[in-house]
Amino acid sequence: MPNHHATRLLEAASQLILGKERELRLALACLVARGHLLIEDVPGVGKTTLAHTLARLTGLQFQRIQFTSDLLPADIVGVSIFDRETSAFRFHPGPVFSQLILADEINRATPKTQSALLEAMEERQVTADGSTLPLPDPFFVIATQNPANQIGTFPLPESQLDRFLLRIRLGYPDALAERALLMGADRRELLEARPPVITPADLLDMQRAAQGLHVADPLIDYVQALLSATRHHTEIETGLSPRAGLGLLSAARAWALIDGRDHVVPEDVQTLFPHVAAHRLHLAGDGRPVPAATLLSLMQSVPVR
Amino acid sequence: MKGGLSSLRWRPGLRRTAAPAITLTRQQCTWLLATAALSLAPHLTWLPTWIMGFGFVLLGWRALLLWRGSAPPPRLVLLALVIAAAIGVRTEFDHFFGKDPGVALLALLLGLKLLEVRVTRDALAAVLLCFFLQLSLFFEDQSIPVAGLALVATLSGLAAMASLTDANGRAREQLRTGTLLVVQGVPFMVLLFVLFPRVDGPLWGLPADAFSGRTGLSDTMSPGSISALGESSEIVFRADFDGPPPRPDQRYWRGPVLTDFDGRTWRPRAFAEGAAPFYAVEGPRLDYTLTLEPHNRRWLLALDVPAAGPDAHLFTSDFQLLARQPVQSRIRVELTSHPESSIGLTENEAALAAARRLPPGFNPRTLALADELAAGAQSHEVILQRVIARLRQSELIYTLRPPLLGTDGVDEFLFDTRRGFCEHFAGAFTVLMRATGVPARIVTGYQGGEINPIDGNLVVRQSHAHAWSEVWLQGRGWVRVDPTALSAPRRIDDGLAAALPEGEALPIMMHPRMEWLRGLRLRWEAVSNAWNQRVLGYNPQRQKELLARLGLDQESSWVLGGTLAGAGALLFGLLLWWTIRKRRPADPLERGWLRFCTALARHGIVRQAWEGPHQFGVRVAAETSLPPAARAAIRAICEDYARLRYGPTCSADDLRALRTRINAIRLP
């Protein structure tokens, strides 16, 4: 019995974003698992639309930050301005104080600016002028990234990549979906017309429910075996961290919740594993990202017990 | 584009199956090369240099290819190399049969096989070749270091095999697997060693080339033949006395007795074998066990004077104890000696005449001296005393490096150079005695020996080789006279090192300052003696004794075979039980599931190890070869299993229900 919130949301979303059910589901799982999402793809495949859609359908307060090379940390976090009337500095919160943030082309900004956002993501609070301000509760960052070999980019360092729970690629739509897209109405207008299908409170409920999902001992064994396999693989530089392991488990919980189960099965882990591992693992030697085929063969080397 | 076009062009007649690409990882290749090097290297000591060189060049070539990541050489090159290797072996040994050419060919083929290794199957063949090569080392040598080396090489080979089955594994894990296999193999090894019927002598001891080139005493003596042995510390034999060992001045180990002299070389008399001499036993009796290293001769080197040994040995008329066959492997003989007995009280005239004969025209000065000493003497004993006294006076010097002598060797030694080794002393004395008319002969053998404090054995080395004389006196028989002792008495009491003059270079092991080294050597020799006795010396006789002690009827091959098979099965069962216990899931639910999967696999529906139950169910549901009802039932079982195993609750009822449903499934 699939989760009805998730079903409603995904149904509505797939009318707006055509032929991307799996990616939408992964993005929702990331949101339910309280993680952040990294979308890596060429421009124009609907990264922004995806973020918009999620925000619109969940009723989350949405901000888009376009990262450029001259973007400053203050442009994200906010700035204190002297107020003549009160003769004091007043903090003007930046766009980061929103529930859903789209950090577009995050690898165009300088590392300093990138880290301002990434710190906020990790801490879920911002420190400005000596006072600590909490960020809103469903707090979800979708960062998009162009493939790193484009000119004028600052690739995210490994430690920062680790803060994204999942990485997905959208890819081109299939022929049928593309045809419908070309023939249909403007997506933006459709989006504006669409009311939210769930509330932020529903989302918080889902997040809490996912956290409470049952994970059996054999499943923990399986996750551990997977982690260990990444650490003992000869072609891989360094294996997955314990944080990645926790992330894998919470993403699998969210996936199981969306599927309407009260427990996690190995297939959930297998589905999420490539998305958790791909941006965290690098090949020994040349440091290239690990190819999908290697991840698949690694996964198939770990028996399900 | 040029390459692309030419490869597209159709070339009739040139098409052949392309060699498969290398699918081995670097780690697998490294294991393989290490195993090959470990298997090949120990043969360095005995295989011809060019073969070892060739072998290692091939190995190095493979390593270079590995390092560069390039493809193996084309098959034509390999074929040429094979032909070259075969011709080389043929030239070296004249034939392909026998142990040495066989092993040489094996070594070369291993190198060549490595060169053409591309896929796992080749690599496995190469590892098996390595195992063969390791085994062939035991043809040459069965000492502890060789056994240790074989163990290391086996371990490496097993690790290589482990890496071949698991390309991405870690080297440490593979080594662990190899070690585990070796450890599991040990009980079987011990079992086979103890129970498998022993064969007398080495299985492979047939070819004659096995025993050439041994150093040791020869059956002739000419100046220099014994001093050549003086620097060799190779062990000749070990003696384990039942009681206390004999005094140092009684430690004369009797070897060939030399009677015929041609002016330069002493040879044994053509003795009458089997004429077992009788002698009156006097003095104490010494019982001891001699462990004789192979020397490819028949003499047993018993302590002077030996009693007749078992029937397997011959006792010659000049009191030598001989084996019936040349000693070609290490043997143990139990012997008895009576050091204080008199021998040859009644000697036949022919023997005495032979012991008086001198070749005419040699050593005139010695003959003159003999006449002078014999003048007016009433008995042979008086002459003997005079000769001894004369030799004492002439201040002869004992040295390992005597000057070279000409035709009249005895003259030159006695009157000019005055420097010599034991063969010079014994030779000069015997010639002098014969010239006075007293029967005399030379006995070669070993003198002395050192007690190993670790195990109490008396160890005799090549450097203990010695020559002395026997003179025949009426009423006393053959009396031993050691002319060396007259000039250098310490040679007999304290050994070679003490007897040499100050300043003469000593063999390193005899140096007084090398005491610690000698201690180390004694310790090592005690260990390797234990190995020789207990492991290599485990012959049919000892096996019989051991089995009798274990209460087994060793005569019946059924009992022995049955015990062997039974114990082997028991061991195998234990290992199997241990493995299954380690593998078998404790959880009844999982056990049931695995049974279910096994049953399905028998019908061709195989669950991959990595496949989760849910996914497996989905896959089976799409299997059109099955009737829809069975598909649905299997899918449902998969779903239920996933729910029970990974879900929050699983009661005994659930379990029973699942089992019932599994049993209810009927497949065509």
Side-chain angles (χ1 to χ4, degrees), chain A residues 34-36 119-126 134-135 137 139:
Chain A
R34 300 170 69 93
H36 303 288
E119 264 175 59
M121 278 162 54
E122 183 65 22
E123 312 284 332
R124 291 180 184 266
Q125 61 186 23
V126 167
L135 293 172
D137 194 358
F139 177 66

Side-chain angles (χ1 to χ4, degrees), chain A residues 163-186:
Chain A
R163 308 212 168 154
F164 290 99
L165 178 59
L166 300 184
R167 192 204 70 180
I168 61 172
R169 287 202 163 113
L170 287 177
Y172 299 111
D174 58 38
L176 217 64
E178 190 159 28
R179 193 176 174 79
L181 185 74
L182 293 172
M183 289 170 66
D186 181 31

